[in-house]
PDB file of all heavy atoms in Angstrom:
ATOM      1  N   ARG B 325     -98.047 -33.416-126.844  1.00  0.00           N
ATOM      2  CA  ARG B 325     -97.131 -34.442-127.348  1.00  0.00           C
ATOM      3  C   ARG B 325     -95.708 -33.897-127.363  1.00  0.00           C
ATOM      4  O   ARG B 325     -95.209 -33.455-126.348  1.00  0.00           O
ATOM      5  CB  ARG B 325     -97.543 -34.931-128.730  1.00  0.00           C
ATOM      6  CG  ARG B 325     -98.872 -35.646-128.702  1.00  0.00           C
ATOM      7  CD  ARG B 325     -99.390 -35.842-130.103  1.00  0.00           C
ATOM      8  NE  ARG B 325    -100.792 -36.163-130.094  1.00  0.00           N
ATOM      9  CZ  ARG B 325    -101.268 -37.398-130.288  1.00  0.00           C
ATOM     10  NH1 ARG B 325    -100.448 -38.401-130.533  1.00  0.00           N
ATOM     11  NH2 ARG B 325    -102.557 -37.609-130.250  1.00  0.00           N
ATOM     12  N   SER B 326     -95.109 -33.860-128.555  1.00  0.00           N
ATOM     13  CA  SER B 326     -93.713 -33.418-128.544  1.00  0.00           C
ATOM     14  C   SER B 326     -93.546 -32.000-129.089  1.00  0.00           C
ATOM     15  O   SER B 326     -92.487 -31.631-129.557  1.00  0.00           O
ATOM     16  CB  SER B 326     -92.869 -34.403-129.344  1.00  0.00           C
ATOM     17  OG  SER B 326     -93.489 -34.599-130.591  1.00  0.00           O
ATOM     18  N   ASN B 327     -94.605 -31.221-129.030  1.00  0.00           N
ATOM     19  CA  ASN B 327     -94.514 -29.844-129.513  1.00  0.00           C
ATOM     20  C   ASN B 327     -93.752 -28.989-128.498  1.00  0.00           C
ATOM     21  O   ASN B 327     -94.326 -28.351-127.619  1.00  0.00           O
ATOM     22  CB  ASN B 327     -95.923 -29.307-129.753  1.00  0.00           C
ATOM     23  CG  ASN B 327     -95.917 -27.940-130.418  1.00  0.00           C
ATOM     24  OD1 ASN B 327     -94.914 -27.218-130.354  1.00  0.00           O
ATOM     25  ND2 ASN B 327     -97.023 -27.598-131.049  1.00  0.00           N
ATOM     26  N   LYS B 328     -92.423 -28.969-128.664  1.00  0.00           N
ATOM     27  CA  LYS B 328     -91.541 -28.334-127.688  1.00  0.00           C
ATOM     28  C   LYS B 328     -91.845 -26.839-127.537  1.00  0.00           C
ATOM     29  O   LYS B 328     -91.844 -26.309-126.427  1.00  0.00           O
ATOM     30  CB  LYS B 328     -90.069 -28.517-128.108  1.00  0.00           C
ATOM     31  CG  LYS B 328     -89.586 -29.961-127.950  1.00  0.00           C
ATOM     32  CD  LYS B 328     -89.210 -30.234-126.512  1.00  0.00           C
ATOM     33  CE  LYS B 328     -88.788 -31.649-126.196  1.00  0.00           C
ATOM     34  NZ  LYS B 328     -89.237 -32.765-126.981  1.00  0.00           N
ATOM     35  N   THR B 329     -92.091 -26.169-128.691  1.00  0.00           N
ATOM     36  CA  THR B 329     -92.351 -24.724-128.645  1.00  0.00           C
ATOM     37  C   THR B 329     -93.559 -24.430-127.775  1.00  0.00           C
ATOM     38  O   THR B 329     -93.543 -23.532-126.938  1.00  0.00           O
ATOM     39  CB  THR B 329     -92.651 -24.190-130.063  1.00  0.00           C
ATOM     40  OG1 THR B 329     -92.171 -25.127-131.011  1.00  0.00           O
ATOM     41  CG2 THR B 329     -92.072 -22.830-130.275  1.00  0.00           C
ATOM     42  N   LEU B 330     -94.608 -25.208-127.996  1.00  0.00           N
ATOM     43  CA  LEU B 330     -95.840 -24.972-127.247  1.00  0.00           C
ATOM     44  C   LEU B 330     -95.634 -25.243-125.760  1.00  0.00           C
ATOM     45  O   LEU B 330     -96.073 -24.469-124.910  1.00  0.00           O
ATOM     46  CB  LEU B 330     -96.955 -25.865-127.810  1.00  0.00           C
ATOM     47  CG  LEU B 330     -98.357 -25.596-127.262  1.00  0.00           C
ATOM     48  CD1 LEU B 330     -98.788 -24.170-127.572  1.00  0.00           C
ATOM     49  CD2 LEU B 330     -99.358 -26.575-127.842  1.00  0.00           C
ATOM     50  N   ILE B 331     -94.925 -26.334-125.463  1.00  0.00           N
ATOM     51  CA  ILE B 331     -94.678 -26.668-124.067  1.00  0.00           C
ATOM     52  C   ILE B 331     -93.885 -25.547-123.398  1.00  0.00           C
ATOM     53  O   ILE B 331     -94.166 -25.146-122.268  1.00  0.00           O
ATOM     54  CB  ILE B 331     -93.943 -28.024-123.959  1.00  0.00           C
ATOM     55  CG1 ILE B 331     -94.897 -29.143-124.390  1.00  0.00           C
ATOM     56  CG2 ILE B 331     -93.435 -28.269-122.549  1.00  0.00           C
ATOM     57  CD1 ILE B 331     -94.260 -30.500-124.534  1.00  0.00           C
ATOM     58  N   GLN B 332     -92.923 -24.997-124.154  1.00  0.00           N
ATOM     59  CA  GLN B 332     -92.121 -23.895-123.638  1.00  0.00           C
ATOM     60  C   GLN B 332     -93.000 -22.687-123.316  1.00  0.00           C
ATOM     61  O   GLN B 332     -92.874 -22.055-122.272  1.00  0.00           O
ATOM     62  CB  GLN B 332     -91.037 -23.548-124.680  1.00  0.00           C
ATOM     63  CG  GLN B 332     -89.974 -22.597-124.170  1.00  0.00           C
ATOM     64  CD  GLN B 332     -89.361 -23.075-122.850  1.00  0.00           C
ATOM     65  OE1 GLN B 332     -89.014 -24.249-122.714  1.00  0.00           O
ATOM     66  NE2 GLN B 332     -89.264 -22.166-121.880  1.00  0.00           N
ATOM     67  N   LYS B 333     -93.917 -22.400-124.230  1.00  0.00           N
ATOM     68  CA  LYS B 333     -94.812 -21.249-124.026  1.00  0.00           C
ATOM     69  C   LYS B 333     -95.719 -21.468-122.824  1.00  0.00           C
ATOM     70  O   LYS B 333     -96.021 -20.536-122.085  1.00  0.00           O
ATOM     71  CB  LYS B 333     -95.672 -21.033-125.269  1.00  0.00           C
ATOM     72  CG  LYS B 333     -94.885 -20.453-126.398  1.00  0.00           C
ATOM     73  CD  LYS B 333     -95.754 -20.309-127.600  1.00  0.00           C
ATOM     74  CE  LYS B 333     -95.024 -19.508-128.654  1.00  0.00           C
ATOM     75  NZ  LYS B 333     -95.811 -19.329-129.843  1.00  0.00           N
ATOM     76  N   ASN B 334     -96.165 -22.700-122.680  1.00  0.00           N
ATOM     77  CA  ASN B 334     -97.010 -23.003-121.527  1.00  0.00           C
ATOM     78  C   ASN B 334     -96.231 -22.818-120.227  1.00  0.00           C
ATOM     79  O   ASN B 334     -96.759 -22.305-119.244  1.00  0.00           O
ATOM     80  CB  ASN B 334     -97.544 -24.432-121.621  1.00  0.00           C
ATOM     81  CG  ASN B 334     -98.689 -24.528-122.613  1.00  0.00           C
ATOM     82  OD1 ASN B 334     -99.528 -23.635-122.698  1.00  0.00           O
ATOM     83  ND2 ASN B 334     -98.715 -25.610-123.382  1.00  0.00           N
ATOM     84  N   ARG B 335     -94.961 -23.260-120.261  1.00  0.00           N
ATOM     85  CA  ARG B 335     -94.127 -23.079-119.065  1.00  0.00           C
ATOM     86  C   ARG B 335     -94.049 -21.610-118.684  1.00  0.00           C
ATOM     87  O   ARG B 335     -94.133 -21.245-117.517  1.00  0.00           O
ATOM     88  CB  ARG B 335     -92.715 -23.619-119.339  1.00  0.00           C
ATOM     89  CG  ARG B 335     -92.655 -25.090-119.070  1.00  0.00           C
ATOM     90  CD  ARG B 335     -91.246 -25.554-118.766  1.00  0.00           C
ATOM     91  NE  ARG B 335     -91.220 -26.990-119.014  1.00  0.00           N
ATOM     92  CZ  ARG B 335     -90.527 -27.572-119.977  1.00  0.00           C
ATOM     93  NH1 ARG B 335     -89.729 -26.856-120.750  1.00  0.00           N
ATOM     94  NH2 ARG B 335     -90.577 -28.866-120.139  1.00  0.00           N
ATOM     95  N   GLU B 336     -93.912 -20.790-119.719  1.00  0.00           N
ATOM     96  CA  GLU B 336     -93.833 -19.348-119.514  1.00  0.00           C
ATOM     97  C   GLU B 336     -95.088 -18.831-118.789  1.00  0.00           C
ATOM     98  O   GLU B 336     -95.001 -18.065-117.828  1.00  0.00           O
ATOM     99  CB  GLU B 336     -93.685 -18.686-120.894  1.00  0.00           C
ATOM    100  CG  GLU B 336     -93.419 -17.213-120.854  1.00  0.00           C
ATOM    101  CD  GLU B 336     -91.960 -16.915-120.508  1.00  0.00           C
ATOM    102  OE1 GLU B 336     -91.170 -17.839-120.209  1.00  0.00           O
ATOM    103  OE2 GLU B 336     -91.621 -15.738-120.544  1.00  0.00           O
ATOM    104  N   ILE B 337     -96.225 -19.291-119.283  1.00  0.00           N
ATOM    105  CA  ILE B 337     -97.490 -18.863-118.654  1.00  0.00           C
ATOM    106  C   ILE B 337     -97.555 -19.344-117.203  1.00  0.00           C
ATOM    107  O   ILE B 337     -97.917 -18.579-116.303  1.00  0.00           O
ATOM    108  CB  ILE B 337     -98.697 -19.402-119.452  1.00  0.00           C
ATOM    109  CG1 ILE B 337     -98.795 -18.658-120.778  1.00  0.00           C
ATOM    110  CG2 ILE B 337     -99.989 -19.242-118.653  1.00  0.00           C
ATOM    111  CD1 ILE B 337     -99.959 -19.054-121.627  1.00  0.00           C
ATOM    112  N   ILE B 338     -97.168 -20.604-117.002  1.00  0.00           N
ATOM    113  CA  ILE B 338     -97.222 -21.166-115.649  1.00  0.00           C
ATOM    114  C   ILE B 338     -96.316 -20.363-114.719  1.00  0.00           C
ATOM    115  O   ILE B 338     -96.711 -20.007-113.605  1.00  0.00           O
ATOM    116  CB  ILE B 338     -96.805 -22.657-115.671  1.00  0.00           C
ATOM    117  CG1 ILE B 338     -97.852 -23.479-116.438  1.00  0.00           C
ATOM    118  CG2 ILE B 338     -96.657 -23.199-114.253  1.00  0.00           C
ATOM    119  CD1 ILE B 338     -97.413 -24.881-116.790  1.00  0.00           C
ATOM    120  N   ARG B 339     -95.144 -20.029-115.233  1.00  0.00           N
ATOM    121  CA  ARG B 339     -94.183 -19.277-114.415  1.00  0.00           C
ATOM    122  C   ARG B 339     -94.778 -17.912-114.025  1.00  0.00           C
ATOM    123  O   ARG B 339     -94.780 -17.530-112.861  1.00  0.00           O
ATOM    124  CB  ARG B 339     -92.885 -19.084-115.214  1.00  0.00           C
ATOM    125  CG  ARG B 339     -91.671 -18.683-114.394  1.00  0.00           C
ATOM    126  CD  ARG B 339     -90.423 -18.597-115.266  1.00  0.00           C
ATOM    127  NE  ARG B 339     -90.625 -17.792-116.475  1.00  0.00           N
ATOM    128  CZ  ARG B 339     -90.696 -16.466-116.493  1.00  0.00           C
ATOM    129  NH1 ARG B 339     -90.576 -15.774-115.376  1.00  0.00           N
ATOM    130  NH2 ARG B 339     -90.887 -15.807-117.626  1.00  0.00           N
ATOM    131  N   LYS B 340     -95.324 -17.213-115.027  1.00  0.00           N
ATOM    132  CA  LYS B 340     -95.907 -15.897-114.746  1.00  0.00           C
ATOM    133  C   LYS B 340     -97.072 -16.009-113.776  1.00  0.00           C
ATOM    134  O   LYS B 340     -97.205 -15.210-112.853  1.00  0.00           O
ATOM    135  CB  LYS B 340     -96.414 -15.264-116.046  1.00  0.00           C
ATOM    136  CG  LYS B 340     -95.324 -14.607-116.841  1.00  0.00           C
ATOM    137  CD  LYS B 340     -95.929 -13.886-118.011  1.00  0.00           C
ATOM    138  CE  LYS B 340     -94.828 -13.427-118.951  1.00  0.00           C
ATOM    139  NZ  LYS B 340     -95.331 -13.119-120.290  1.00  0.00           N
ATOM    140  N   ALA B 341     -97.930 -17.000-114.026  1.00  0.00           N
ATOM    141  CA  ALA B 341     -99.128 -17.151-113.186  1.00  0.00           C
ATOM    142  C   ALA B 341     -98.727 -17.448-111.751  1.00  0.00           C
ATOM    143  O   ALA B 341     -99.307 -16.908-110.813  1.00  0.00           O
ATOM    144  CB  ALA B 341    -100.017 -18.252-113.742  1.00  0.00           C
ATOM    145  N   GLN B 342     -97.700 -18.279-111.611  1.00  0.00           N
ATOM    146  CA  GLN B 342     -97.262 -18.614-110.256  1.00  0.00           C
ATOM    147  C   GLN B 342     -96.662 -17.406-109.559  1.00  0.00           C
ATOM    148  O   GLN B 342     -96.904 -17.172-108.377  1.00  0.00           O
ATOM    149  CB  GLN B 342     -96.246 -19.759-110.305  1.00  0.00           C
ATOM    150  CG  GLN B 342     -96.919 -21.097-110.564  1.00  0.00           C
ATOM    151  CD  GLN B 342     -95.937 -22.236-110.619  1.00  0.00           C
ATOM    152  OE1 GLN B 342     -94.749 -22.035-110.879  1.00  0.00           O
ATOM    153  NE2 GLN B 342     -96.421 -23.452-110.404  1.00  0.00           N
TER     154      GLN B 342
END
Side-chain angles (χ1 to χ4, degrees):
Chain B
R325 295 167 196 257
S326 50
N327 187 339
K328 289 279 177 334
T329 341
L330 188 60
I331 291 171
Q332 191 52 46
K333 287 178 170 180
N334 283 321
R335 274 204 201 114
E336 187 78 355
I337 289 182
I338 293 167
R339 197 177 50 75
K340 279 186 190 161
Q342 284 180 337

